[in-house]
Amino acid sequence: MTGSAALLGGGARQRTVLGRPAVFYSDRTISINFRLDGSDTDSGPGVPARALTVARDAEDSGGSFEVVLWRADGGVPDDTVLLRVAEKVLPTVPGWAAEG
């Protein structure tokens, strides 16, 4: 994670989450519309998304977990909400060591 904020663009912010290096960044979903009969297909940019990528361990020795949120109304998700979701969900994911 260290240094990845520079690769992810100007809106990326490095921080520590649950004792591990992490980075917040913005992206966009993809909108795909189709009919079950195969007609009327369309794709394009979707709604904004906010992502949080957290290192697998405190030493940042490789690998990461990522939590991404988007809103149905097209608004940009709040970082505080994303952080709360990550702090609840990540410790329950297989492979997440509690000692950080």
Side-chain angles (χ1 to χ4, degrees), residues 9-68:
R13 293 185 303 124
Q14 200 125 10
R15 67 171 292 165
T16 300
V17 174
L18 297 169
R20 301 166 192 219
V23 63
F24 280 102
Y25 69 95
S26 294
D27 207 345
R28 187 168 280 283
T29 62
I30 298 171
S31 173
I32 301 173
N33 299 301
F34 60 91
R35 298 177 75 104
L36 293 179
D37 66 5
S39 65
D40 260 352
T41 61
D42 184 37
S43 65
V47 298
R50 195 74 176 139
L52 174 64
T53 305
V54 182
R56 288 185 78 90
D57 57 43
E59 291 77 37
D60 198 9
S61 61
S64 61
F65 295 94
E66 186 165 86
V67 178
V68 181

